[in-house]
Amino acid sequence: MGSVQIVTTILAAAITAVAVWLAVRAVMKMTAVIRLGQPAPERFADKGARTKKMLVETAGHTRMLKWSVVGAAHWFVMVGFIVLSLLVLEAYFEVVTPGGGLPIIGHWTIFGLATEWIGILGLAGILVLMGIRLRNRPTRPGGRSRFTGSTMWQGYFVEWVVLLVLIFGFVIRGFKVATDHFEYPVWATPLSHAVGAALPAWTAGVSVAAVIKIAISMTWLIVISLNVTMGVAWHRFLAFPNIFFKRDPEKAAGSGLGPLRPMTSEGKPLDFEEADPEKDQFGVAQVEQFTWKGLLDFSTCTECGRCQSQCPAWNTGKPLSPKLLVLSLRDHAYAKAPYLLAGGGKDLTGEEKATQEQLAGVDVLAMAEADRPLIGTAEEGGVIDPDVLWSCTTCGACVEQCPVDIEHVDHIVDMRRYQVLIESSFPSEAGVMLRNLENKGNPWGAPQNTREDWTKGLGFEVPRVGEVEDFEYLFWVGCAGAFEDRAKKTTRAVATLLNEAGVSFAILGEGETCSGDPARRIGNEFVFQMLAQQNVETLNEAFEGREKSKRKIVATCPHCFNTLGNEYGQLGGEFEVVHHTQLLAHLVAAGKLTPVQPVDGGVTYHDPCYLGRHNRVFAAPREVLGDAIQGELTEMPRNSERSFCCGAGGARMWMEEKIGKRINVDRVEEAMSTGAKTIAVGCPFCSTMLNDGVNGKGAGEQVEVVDVASVLLRSVKPDAPAGEKETEAVAG
Ligand code: SF4
Ligand code: SF4
């Protein structure tokens, strides 16, 4: 060992010792913070499925590849990070001796070949990612980007480290080539040989370049260890457990979509018959009341801003960005952690749990952080502003896009639950809806005995459950379908088509009440449970004696479709629920409905969030429309998984939209930009929102918003003038 190697060895050992010590300390700190969360025992079920999904999602980059160029570039960088970590290890041999290398595999040509090409592709990948970050930097002329609010220096730092580590990998190899210490052939390692041709035959160069590479790598480790909230770096490790513990490992995408989690206390579902707010946790009022998976979610956020770029609230000037919400919760959790780890925290009656002695050594900043309300305005020092909390439509675009499977909607609804159930604090205008749900069983407060009014004037009898011997489908009409004029047209169109196709169906009529979706999404789990239990009882009675596959329900409202199909199981109601567009697509394919006249003028389709993203029904409505228009749909730029919300979900239908541009107007502008004369929808709330948007733009004469079922009916029964049949009948 020469004098240069003695120095490089000492330097490498010293910086590595410091970095490893800090990293161990950081991992212990993060683990301690995450463990502060509430239990979530269900996350340990299905370990096999979880392992498989984690490997597929990480190795295959199945979520990232949706953003194809970024996804491909990130894949090469990720593979480069994992495989080329071996070359960082090899550098420890190279600081000791210029000819050093990894034992055994370090002499295999295949290892040289693989690392060479992963290094080259990693270089290309990181340059692409750096270019994309620079092109989208928030300070660029032209305004907000997905990186707005991200900690930009951290992203630049991580990218430069990757770039320099890769470059120094080739410099080490180059010096080895130049000094004849390199044993891989030119065909396997062309770049290393090219670099070697340009470098002097300086033997010490190998060890010097190796110690620089180690120093860069360890500086990275030191910096991230001193910044445990640096998700852009930590996600390299945390993404694996976060994906492993996702809510539903069976789902291909959107694990945190569809049903909401039941309210839990100490990891057990809350039973409202016995629940006591002084003993049981009602939603989330303190950051440590999220589950440990919630705290892991917050720690894993990479600050990539994909969620933000798709969020309808953020895109229309509201204060909500799902990314910033996650970052606020993360920063608050870590800042408050010293107080919590010292034993601090409030019990459910609001009393401090720790003694003065326990808190005596806690940092003053942590104590101040602990005093901040989780939900509160800037003046109150709140972590999350109420306007942020109530801007969410629960559309799920954030969850859909998040590459590390963060479950934003669950966290938002958990915070809403506490606000509504304990604080009675929510936008006042939604109070009318909640009162109507409690007293009348529907959000409009319409009399229950008018639920069947939509059947009047149809040319056939609509059978009721109990009045018929048997039925194949229970037609769940929904409150909008029963009481709201536009939605009634859809109800009538569906009933007419089912009758035309010879489907045996029956309705509950006055036995139906609201599915409970708006109550659950606003956070009023109590009212949801009340309505849902009643409906589950009614439905179980209606289907008595039938196995699950024969307990078939067709619903026109995607919110009912989601609630009945995905959430009633939590209350003992197992049904096979289809959306009307799925059943209609099946009936057309089976030849039971025959579109005869093409609907012209161009048709575009707006995906309802609770049908599309939340339940992955993208094809059926498009098939029905394709059959009805006998041609191609005109797609909007934001469609299918990336569809843009109408603004009504998450009980936003019942709240005023006071901040920013109206979401429905944004969506209508996009729909109208296609030039289509018909905007087809598959949800009564989308219909209301988009109709309002079209009318607000004074385009009601030129553009029509209409349900997929009505479009099909016009094609199947062209003898009736478009739209008139349903309209007249409703009026009658
Ligand atoms: S659910 Fe939709 S509105 Fe809510 S934060 Fe996510 S993207 Fe934004
Ligand atoms: S998409 Fe996921 S990882 Fe990216 S900023 Fe949003 S929450 Fe964080």
Side-chain angles (χ1 to χ4, degrees), residues 431-506:
V432 179
M433 176 270 288
L434 287 173
R435 271 195 302 281
N436 285 336
L437 286 182
E438 277 192 83
N439 301 331
K440 304 274 182 160
N442 70 82
W444 284 274
Q448 186 70 352
N449 63 8
T450 59
R451 258 195 195 268
E452 296 176 31
D453 282 4
W454 65 271
T455 60
K456 289 181 190 161
L458 284 172
F460 56 92
E461 269 301 302
V462 177
R464 279 150 203 86
V465 172
E467 290 175 10
V468 277
E469 285 274 297
D470 197 14
F471 58 89
E472 185 181 3
Y473 284 94
L474 189 149
F475 182 13
W476 181 271
V477 175
C479 300
F483 301 121
E484 202 272 332
D485 281 344
R486 267 189 228 103
K488 282 201 262 186
K489 293 180 199 170
T490 305
T491 313
R492 297 173 67 84
V494 172
T496 306
L497 287 164
L498 295 184
N499 185 58
E500 183 80 13
V503 174
S504 97
F505 70 96

Side-chain angles (χ1 to χ4, degrees), residues 334-354:
Y334 280 84
K336 187 179 177 183
Y339 157 79
L340 295 170
L341 291 170
K346 301 277 193 300
D347 66 18
L348 291 165
T349 62
E351 291 299 312
E352 175 59 61
K353 288 192 271 186

Side-chain angles (χ1 to χ4, degrees), residues 354-596:
T355 59
Q356 290 225 325
E357 295 76 59
Q358 280 177 292
L359 298 180
V362 178
D363 183 57
V364 62
L365 291 176
M367 293 300 291
E369 193 71 30
D371 276 342
R372 296 178 69 193
L374 190 67
I375 305 298
T377 60
E379 296 76 49
E380 293 161 346
V383 178
I384 304 292
D385 193 280
D387 281 335
V388 169
L389 187 69
W390 296 109
S391 289
C392 179
T393 67
T394 69
C395 72
C398 47
V399 179
E400 171 76 34
Q401 288 301 326
C402 182
V404 291
D405 279 324
I406 288 170
E407 295 160 358
H408 315 68
V409 174
D410 285 346
H411 305 320
I412 289 171
V413 173
D414 271 340
M415 290 187 283
R416 285 183 173 186
R417 284 168 167 170
Y418 180 83
Q419 293 302 308
V420 172
L421 294 172
I422 303 297
E423 299 285 336
S424 290
S425 171
F426 53 88
S428 55
E429 62 275 15
V432 179
M433 176 270 288
L434 287 173
R435 271 195 302 281
N436 285 336
L437 286 182
E438 277 192 83
N439 301 331
K440 304 274 182 160
N442 70 82
W444 284 274
Q448 186 70 352
N449 63 8
T450 59
R451 258 195 195 268
E452 296 176 31
D453 282 4
W454 65 271
T455 60
K456 289 181 190 161
L458 284 172
F460 56 92
E461 269 301 302
V462 177
R464 279 150 203 86
V465 172
E467 290 175 10
V468 277
E469 285 274 297
D470 197 14
F471 58 89
E472 185 181 3
Y473 284 94
L474 189 149
F475 182 13
W476 181 271
V477 175
C479 300
F483 301 121
E484 202 272 332
D485 281 344
R486 267 189 228 103
K488 282 201 262 186
K489 293 180 199 170
T490 305
T491 313
R492 297 173 67 84
V494 172
T496 306
L497 287 164
L498 295 184
N499 185 58
E500 183 80 13
V503 174
S504 97
F505 70 96
I507 59 168
L508 285 171
E510 292 181 29
E512 199 184 292
T513 64
C514 175
S515 68
D517 163 86
R520 196 169 218 201
R521 265 72 201 167
I522 204 172
N524 198 330
E525 186 74 3
F526 178 75
V527 171
F528 166 73
Q529 295 275 338
M530 186 185 85
L531 295 166
Q533 270 165 6
Q534 190 179 335
N535 284 325
V536 167
E537 216 170 283
T538 309
L539 289 167
N540 280 342
E541 211 172 290
F543 288 120
E544 202 174 349
R546 294 198 198 187
E547 63 198 61
K548 189 186 170 191
S549 64
K550 301 233 166 87
R551 295 156 75 94
K552 294 200 250 181
I553 298 175
V554 57
T556 54
C557 170
H559 298 269
C560 298
F561 165 69
N562 179 61
T563 307
L564 270 62
N566 294 328
E567 299 187 337
Y568 279 10
Q570 297 167 5
L571 297 158
E574 297 287 348
F575 313 108
E576 284 292 323
V577 188
V578 292
H579 187 247
H580 69 286
T581 56
Q582 291 175 297
L583 182 54
L584 294 178
H586 165 73
L587 294 172
V588 174
K592 295 194 173 157
L593 289 173
T594 311
V596 288

